[in-house]
Amino acid sequence: AQSVTQLGSHVSVSEGALVLLRCNYSSSVPPYLFWYVQYPNQGLQLLLKYTTGATLVKGINGFEAEFKKSETSFHLTKPSAHMSDAAEYFCAVTSSGGSYIPTFGRGTSLIVHP
Amino acid sequence: EAGVTQFPSHSVIEKGQTVTLRCDPISGHDNLYWYRRVMGKEIKFLLHFVKESKQDESGMPNNRFLAERTGGTYSTLKVQPAELEDSGVYFCASSPGNTIYFGEGSWLTVV
């Protein structure tokens, strides 16, 4: 069984400030971890993923995330928020063996203030 | 390379009517998934095809929902008869392996 917890349904930051979106997971086997972003009225776009190897992964639009096994976390960060980052962000986990069906967190809406 | 495409993008139907959503996966992807997000709630798994076979349909809410994947290519998801609680966005996704790529979604409103 696997699950994802995203702390905070809404996160508000000022333009230029650090973005930190939290994700903790539960998985009985080594996980594969993903962040997806959904802009208003659009589909889900893959931001970045961790499968194996380097635990710090870089994605599109300046985002990155670090897999910390000891903390069962995969937090998403961006050093400087831009207005265009305003969207809903979803963390997802799949198991490393099997059918790779992702389980999603509830999502975090990122609000960026000018 | 074309991404996952879904049709229609938006649909408004009356309670009791039938709606069929279509998904064309990325060419060559054997795995096809359907997910649903009801307003304000989490994204929920509905089912998973491998080629034309249903691998896992544990997330299908009830027998008003029927999914098919003809010849292992495109897939359809039919809701018959639609109920108010079926409103939401239906995402289709495909993958060659461990990374899943989503379509733009089909927004369904049942009135």
Side-chain angles (χ1 to χ4, degrees):
Chain A
Q2 56 198 29
S3 65
V4 174
T5 301
Q6 290 184 240
L7 290 176
S9 59
H10 295 82
V11 169
S12 181
V13 300
S14 298
E15 191 172 21
L18 170 72
V19 175
L20 170 61
L21 304 182
R22 299 179 186 274
C23 171
N24 289 86
Y25 70 90
S26 170
S27 177
S28 56
V29 298
Y32 290 162
L33 295 157
F34 305 83
W35 277 98
Y36 289 87
V37 60
Q38 185 180 18
Y39 297 101
N41 299 316
Q42 294 187 27
L44 289 166
Q45 181 180 3
L46 180 66
L47 260 183
L48 49 79
K49 66 177 181 180
Y50 167 79
T51 51
T52 58
T55 56
L56 180 64
V57 293
K58 296 184 185 299
I60 61 172
N61 301 336
F63 284 92
E64 61 182 37
E66 187 171 10
F67 169 58
K68 292 187 177 181
K69 183 179 178 180
S70 61
E71 298 177 9
T72 61
S73 69
F74 191 57
H75 301 331
L76 181 71
T77 60
K78 182 175 180 177
S80 177
H82 192 273
M83 297 295 289
S84 61
D85 294 326
E88 193 159 17
Y89 292 79
F90 295 90
C91 182
V93 61
T94 74
S95 59
S96 56
S99 57
Y100 303 120
I101 296 174
T103 298
F104 283 85
R106 287 183 171 267
T108 299
S109 289
L110 177 64
I111 302 161
V112 183
H113 296 288
Chain B
E1 178 181 302
V4 177
T5 57
Q6 294 187 242
F7 182 83
S9 58
H10 293 80
S11 182
V12 180
I13 63 171
E14 293 184 350
K15 176 182 172 181
Q17 289 186 321
T18 298
V19 64
T20 300
L21 311 177
R22 173 172 169 144
C23 170
D24 287 80
I26 295 171
S27 178
H29 285 191
D30 287 341
N31 296 283
L32 187 148
Y33 309 80
W34 284 98
Y35 279 79
R36 176 174 75 166
R37 189 181 192 202
V38 173
M39 181 68 71
K41 300 201 173 179
E42 63 263 49
I43 299 169
K44 288 280 201 182
F45 166 77
L46 295 179
L47 87 160
H48 170 214
F49 285 98
V50 177
K51 298 184 180 178
E52 68 275 11
S53 300
K54 291 177 185 175
Q55 191 75 13
D56 183 345
E57 52 183 331
S58 60
M60 295 287 265
N62 52 60
N63 59 11
R64 295 187 293 103
F65 290 76
L66 175 64
E68 296 179 323
R69 188 178 183 191
T70 306
T73 56
Y74 71 91
S75 175
T76 58
L77 179 64
K78 180 189 287 188
V79 185
Q80 179 183 31
E83 298 289 344
L84 298 178
E85 64 264 25
D86 299 331
S87 295
V89 57
Y90 291 77
F91 291 108
C92 178
S94 71
S95 82
N98 63 26
T99 302
I100 293 178
Y101 300 91
F102 283 81
E104 295 288 302
S106 288
W107 265 255
L108 173 65
T109 303
V110 183
V111 297

